[in-house]
Amino acid sequence: MRKPIAVLTALALVAIASTSSSLPPGKGPPDPRDPPPPREPRDPPPPREPPPPQIACAGWPCKVTPYEGNPIWAGDPEKMAKLGCEKPFKHRGGIQRGETGWIGYSCPASVASQFAALPPDFSDPCLPKRAGRVYVPVARSSCNIEPAKVEIADAKKLGCGPAFTYSTGGDMYPTYTGTYCPDTKAVREATKPSVGFPAGYCDGCLDVPAGKIFKIWSHSVGPNCPSGCPSGGPSAM
């Protein structure tokens, strides 16, 4: 029985040898230890178009002035003074989206827990960070926008949309009647010198997209909380 097995083994070796000799050089059976062959190079993807330029979101620029309005909106100035707070100020520009201004104090950090004080590291271009002190808002003013029950013939002729009433909060701030329009020379010059709010202006209520302008057709100054002033919100800001 050993002789036939030896003959078969020899024949198998001869067959493997003849197969290997018939393959071109370097085309033998793959060795599992060899690294995989490199992939075929592909054509590079077509270049992408550059994204449109992003317009910075900018609401009212900040401005800080002494608050000289109705004391009721300044909390209790005498109490604040006893706690070491400085005189109240009016800050144009909100702390968050939807706000347009606030009344506040600079107080010692030791009294921060008694109020809804801003974080100790709060600062903006108008209020620098001050060591050992915090800013305490006592009243905030919010914007508002809602459809206006008027039609503006000139706006319609210029391709503008429906009219809106836009208020920035507080009795001493204007209430505007305007429309979203294409930002063209004809629109800008329609009612000089009232131009409007250009693309990029946004405060949480009035977001003006690229290529548009919120054109102002009229404005007034007076009570302007169409949906009701927020609790603690100043009506004399």
Side-chain angles (χ1 to χ4, degrees), residues 13-68:
L13 292 174
V14 171
I16 293 172
S18 62
T19 301
S20 300
S21 63
S22 63
L23 292 173
K27 296 296 183 180
D31 190 330
R33 295 170 297 178
D34 293 339
R39 295 183 177 182
E40 292 287 336
R42 296 182 178 181
D43 294 334
R48 296 182 178 180
E49 295 184 3
Q54 298 296 317
I55 300 176
C57 176
W60 290 106
C62 70
K63 182 180 180 181
V64 174
T65 56
Y67 179 69
E68 299 174 350

Side-chain angles (χ1 to χ4, degrees), residues 43-138:
D43 294 334
R48 296 182 178 180
E49 295 184 3
Q54 298 296 317
I55 300 176
C57 176
W60 290 106
C62 70
K63 182 180 180 181
V64 174
T65 56
Y67 179 69
E68 299 174 350
N70 192 331
I72 192 174
W73 302 117
D76 188 340
E78 292 184 5
K79 174 185 175 181
M80 302 299 282
K82 291 178 180 179
L83 292 172
C85 301
E86 298 174 354
K87 291 184 178 181
F89 59 81
K90 181 172 68 173
H91 185 286
R92 185 180 187 183
I95 300 171
Q96 59 188 5
R97 280 180 62 87
E99 295 181 350
T100 55
W102 51 288
I103 298 170
Y105 294 83
S106 171
C107 298
S110 58
V111 304
S113 59
Q114 302 181 39
F115 306 97
L118 299 178
D121 60 349
F122 173 84
S123 65
D124 65 19
C126 297
L127 290 176
K129 179 181 175 181
R130 298 176 62 184
R133 302 190 71 83
V134 293
Y135 294 108
V136 178
V138 294

Side-chain angles (χ1 to χ4, degrees), residues 120-170:
D121 60 349
F122 173 84
S123 65
D124 65 19
C126 297
L127 290 176
K129 179 181 175 181
R130 298 176 62 184
R133 302 190 71 83
V134 293
Y135 294 108
V136 178
V138 294
R140 301 186 184 189
S141 182
S142 300
C143 63
N144 181 277
I145 187 168
E146 58 186 28
K149 298 179 180 179
V150 297
E151 289 189 6
I152 304 172
D154 290 344
K156 191 173 182 180
K157 293 177 183 178
L158 292 168
C160 304
F164 290 89
T165 298
Y166 168 62
S167 60
T168 58

Side-chain angles (χ1 to χ4, degrees), residues 143-208:
C143 63
N144 181 277
I145 187 168
E146 58 186 28
K149 298 179 180 179
V150 297
E151 289 189 6
I152 304 172
D154 290 344
K156 191 173 182 180
K157 293 177 183 178
L158 292 168
C160 304
F164 290 89
T165 298
Y166 168 62
S167 60
T168 58
D171 287 356
M172 300 310 295
Y173 278 69
T175 297
Y176 302 97
T177 299
T179 55
Y180 289 97
C181 302
D183 192 359
T184 64
K185 182 179 180 181
V187 169
R188 284 178 173 260
E189 295 182 351
T191 55
K192 289 184 177 180
S194 297
V195 176
F197 298 87
Y201 178 89
C202 50
D203 59 7
C205 295
L206 189 67
D207 296 321
V208 186

